Amino acid sequence: MPESSRAERKTQRSLSPIWIVPLVAVLIGAWMIYDNLSKLGPSITLVMDNAEGIEAGKTLIKTRNVEVGRVEKVNLSDDLQHAVITARMSPQAEDMLNTETRFWVVKPRIGREGISGLNTVLSGAYIQLLPGNSKESLRRFQVLDQPPVAPPDAAGIRINLVSQVGNAISTGDPVTYQGYTVGRVEHSEFDAEKREMQLRLYIQAPYDSLVTTTTRFWTSGGIDMRLDSQGFRVKVGSLESLVGGGITFGVPENTPMGKKARANASYTLFADEESANEGSYDQYLEYVLLVDDTVRGLEPGAPVEYRGVRIGSVVSVPWQFTAPQPDSLSRFAIPVLIRIEPQRFDNELQTIDEDQWYARFERMFSHGMRASLKAGNLLTGALFVDLNFHKEVPAFEKMTFVQRRVFPTTSGSFAQIEQKVSNLLDKFNNLNIEPVVDNLNKTLASTEQTMEKINRIAASVDRLLADPATTELPANVNQTLRQLSHTLEGFAPDSQGYNELTRTLSRLEKLMADMQPVLRTLNDQPNALIFDRKPTQDPQPKAAR
């Protein structure tokens, strides 16, 4: 057989139709693998602190309640500090995965805003995806502990707050304006290196226009009770801030509104509204008071007033106590650092000429302006610094203390009262009260003797009242009165005795009428009973013829 025929037979055996079926199966399998791989979306890694409620192969990833992925694996990190979740996303979700994308677990939650996630009680927890708008893709994400306050592209403004005080502010706390909620705290973190609290706020539109360059932020703890030199004050916030706290803001009184704040602007978070208002006075003059009186009750933040108008604040009590003091003053005075804030006189004043203001106060010192401590609240004993003009004070002498100008002082009202009381007590001590005490003792002795006599008289009266004769005396008096009444009944108008008495009085009256001429005659001529009543002429002697 020729060699060509053998080759043709061999070729025909290698191209047998039976091999077509496996070849087609391989091609179909390859196509199916390609099709499945082409339909698979990207794989992502989610890191979270706790994988509670997450199950491999069951937990879904949703956005707007549409499934866009599924959890494939749940493992621990190499350092055993976190849970690492591997999830397979759908192809349509690939454009959503960027640096601004956020993930969080949707499960039943109870918070200040109420109860959320109840629909997951039966269906189980799922992971919510919030798409971002960044162009930079990302495949590893940190799962949030709480749902974000607002989407990254939400209308409004985001600002940053820095606080030096330990405020209990957390993510989700409300941001209010005049009691109305206008935003939320998006993020809160404590910077251990700088020792300050850093917060990020979101103010929703259209309330973002309320945030200006002159806006001040402070914490609202629900109830603010204060008892100080200015009296007793109580402020109550909203119910939500009462339960969990929050942040409020506003523009200080008599302060211009300022321009609208820019995005990501930074502000300071103050402890309360009063501190926020005080923080707006960033231009001031510093003075030191060298106080010879007690400073008990004087606290930092106490007002500095001029005739009842606040013009400054107390900064520190005491301040640099061990520093050497001027020789012209007491070496044991208490130094108090205060600030005079000229912006309180004019809120439009942005900058001040310190030299001009210092010169103005020196002129006032030469005219008798002095600082003294006065009681602002008698109940708590809180003090404040009062500035006023005084007569007959020592001349002003310019001096400094630790590179600060000294504000001249005078004794406060309490110190003056204390001095007067001390002088009064000294006068009492100098009084010679021994003679007064001796006279008082004699008076007490005489009083005791008098009391003894009174006691003896009282005892005699008691014996007299106890005598049986005394007890019978009322009966005898009643009997006598009855006899007298019986006797008087005999002189009644219709009785015989009364008629006889009337006739006797008539005869006596007639007798007296008859006796009246005789009595007149005797009154005119007492010797009428002896001589004739008619006068006779005296005999005239005559000579014999």
Side-chain angles (χ1 to χ4, degrees):
M1 181 180 289
E3 294 292 334
S4 60
S5 297
R6 295 176 180 176
E8 289 177 359
R9 289 178 182 176
K10 188 176 181 179
T11 303
Q12 290 176 357
R13 283 198 301 267
S14 62
L15 297 177
S16 176
I18 195 171
W19 293 103
I20 296 176
V21 175
L23 182 61
V24 172
V26 170
L27 292 176
I28 293 174
W31 178 81
M32 293 179 64
I33 293 173
Y34 171 79
D35 184 65
N36 289 333
L37 291 177
S38 63
K39 291 182 179 179
L40 288 177
S43 177
I44 63 173
T45 302
L46 303 178
V47 180
M48 58 193 309
D49 294 334
N50 190 342
E52 180 184 2
I54 305 300
E55 298 182 21
K58 293 184 179 181
T59 302
L60 303 178
I61 300 176
K62 297 181 179 181
T63 180
R64 298 186 184 276
N65 208 26
V66 176
E67 181 182 346
V68 294
R70 185 183 294 268
V71 174
E72 292 183 340
K73 297 179 181 179
V74 179
N75 298 316
L76 285 174
S77 61
D78 296 337
D79 58 0
L80 306 180
Q81 300 296 319
H82 305 284
V84 179
I85 299 172
T86 302
R88 177 66 63 179
M89 306 298 294
S90 61
Q92 62 180 352
E94 185 170 2
D95 295 337
M96 305 178 188
L97 304 175
N98 51 66
T99 56
E100 292 184 356
T101 302
R102 299 291 181 265
F103 291 87
W104 69 93
V105 178
V106 178
K107 56 185 178 181
R109 299 178 187 272
I110 300 176
R112 292 185 296 271
E113 298 179 342
I115 302 175
S116 61
L118 288 179
N119 59 331
T120 62
V121 173
L122 299 178
S123 63
Y126 65 89
I127 299 175
Q128 181 73 34
L129 180 150
L130 179 65
N133 296 321
S134 175
K135 300 299 182 180
E136 183 180 355
S137 63
L138 190 66
R139 294 295 183 266
R140 187 180 180 89
F141 301 90
Q142 179 72 38
V143 179
L144 303 177
D145 295 332
Q146 298 288 338
V149 173
D153 58 346
I157 187 173
R158 286 174 169 84
I159 59 175
N160 301 314
L161 297 184
V162 177
S163 174
Q164 300 294 338
V165 296
N167 298 311
I169 302 298
S170 58
T171 302
D173 285 345
V175 179
T176 61
Y177 180 82
Q178 295 184 358
Y180 184 75
T181 300
V182 297
R184 295 281 173 179
V185 177
E186 277 193 331
H187 179 70
S188 62
E189 181 182 2
F190 180 74
D191 191 337
E193 183 178 352
K194 296 181 180 180
R195 298 182 180 181
E196 62 185 17
M197 196 73 181
Q198 297 180 350
L199 306 171
R200 184 171 179 82
L201 308 186
Y202 166 70
I203 310 298
Q204 63 191 22
Y207 308 111
D208 54 338
S209 61
L210 299 174
V211 184
T212 65
T213 54
T214 58
T215 298
R216 296 292 181 268
F217 292 83
W218 63 90
T219 58
S220 56
I223 298 179
D224 181 15
M225 301 179 63
R226 183 170 302 182
L227 183 62
D228 53 16
S229 60
Q230 296 181 343
F232 179 71
R233 291 170 288 174
V234 178
K235 292 183 179 180
V236 180
S238 62
L239 180 60
E240 185 176 1
S241 63
L242 180 64
V243 175
I247 298 176
T248 185
F249 65 94
V251 177
E253 187 178 0
N254 299 326
T255 300
M257 289 298 297
K259 299 179 181 179
K260 184 178 179 179
R262 68 181 189 280
N264 298 319
S266 295
Y267 294 85
T268 299
L269 178 63
F270 295 92
D272 49 42
E273 183 178 3
E274 183 177 0
S275 301
N277 292 333
E278 296 297 327
S280 61
Y281 305 117
D282 53 357
Q283 299 287 324
Y284 50 82
L285 310 175
E286 287 190 336
Y287 282 99
V288 175
L289 306 180
L290 297 177
V291 182
D292 291 326
D293 303 329
T294 178
V295 294
R296 182 181 180 87
L298 185 65
E299 300 290 340
V304 177
E305 298 182 356
Y306 172 71
R307 294 182 177 178
V309 178
R310 181 166 185 170
I311 63 172
S313 305
V314 175
V315 179
S316 179
V317 184
W319 183 74
Q320 300 288 340
F321 183 72
T322 59
Q325 300 185 8
D327 295 335
S328 58
L329 298 177
S330 172
R331 293 181 178 271
F332 302 100
I334 306 297
V336 177
L337 181 65
I338 66 171
R339 287 178 179 175
I340 305 298
E341 299 156 343
Q343 289 174 310
R344 293 181 180 272
F345 302 102
D346 185 3
N347 290 309
E348 300 291 339
L349 189 63
Q350 298 296 327
T351 58
I352 64 173
D353 188 344
E354 293 186 3
D355 295 335
Q356 181 180 358
W357 278 96
Y358 278 123
R360 180 179 301 176
F361 272 97
E362 288 180 1
R363 290 194 299 270
M364 294 181 180
F365 298 158
S366 62
H367 286 84
M369 173 175 276
R370 297 294 184 268
S372 61
L373 302 183
K374 288 190 176 182
N377 192 313
L378 296 177
L379 181 62
T380 62
L383 302 178
F384 69 96
V385 178
D386 179 65
L387 309 183
N388 212 331
F389 290 93
H390 299 267
K391 298 179 180 179
E392 300 179 358
V393 292
F396 165 67
E397 180 180 353
K398 188 176 181 180
M399 61 186 70
T400 59
F401 176 82
V402 192
Q403 301 179 356
R404 299 293 193 280
R405 302 178 187 234
V406 174
F407 201 108
T409 61
T410 186
S411 297
S413 57
F414 274 104
Q416 296 174 0
I417 293 174
E418 181 180 359
Q419 183 64 31
K420 292 179 180 179
V421 172
S422 178
N423 295 335
L424 181 61
L425 292 177
D426 291 339
K427 291 181 180 180
F428 275 118
N429 291 332
N430 295 330
L431 288 177
N432 187 11
I433 62 174
E434 292 182 359
V436 178
V437 174
D438 293 339
N439 293 333
L440 182 60
N441 291 333
K442 293 178 181 180
T443 303
L444 291 176
S446 300
T447 304
E448 291 178 356
Q449 295 176 359
T450 303
M451 292 301 297
E452 290 178 358
K453 292 180 180 180
I454 292 174
N455 290 334
R456 288 196 295 270
I457 294 172
S460 299
V461 172
D462 291 339
R463 289 194 297 271
L464 178 62
L465 294 176
D467 191 352
T470 304
T471 57
E472 296 176 357
L473 182 61
N476 296 332
V477 171
N478 291 334
Q479 183 178 2
T480 303
L481 292 175
R482 286 193 297 269
Q483 293 176 356
L484 180 61
S485 175
H486 180 70
T487 302
L488 292 177
E489 288 178 356
F491 292 94
D494 297 335
S495 63
Q496 181 180 358
Y498 179 81
N499 295 330
E500 292 179 357
L501 180 60
T502 301
R503 288 193 296 270
T504 301
L505 291 175
S506 299
R507 288 194 296 269
L508 181 59
E509 182 179 3
K510 181 178 179 181
L511 177 61
M512 291 299 297
D514 294 339
M515 289 291 294
Q516 284 182 358
V518 177
L519 294 175
R520 284 195 297 268
T521 300
L522 292 176
N523 185 39
D524 295 338
Q525 187 177 354
N527 57 356
L529 294 175
I530 302 174
F531 300 99
D532 189 5
R533 291 183 305 172
K534 296 181 180 180
T536 58
Q537 297 180 354
D538 293 337
Q540 300 290 330
K542 296 180 179 180
R545 295 183 177 179

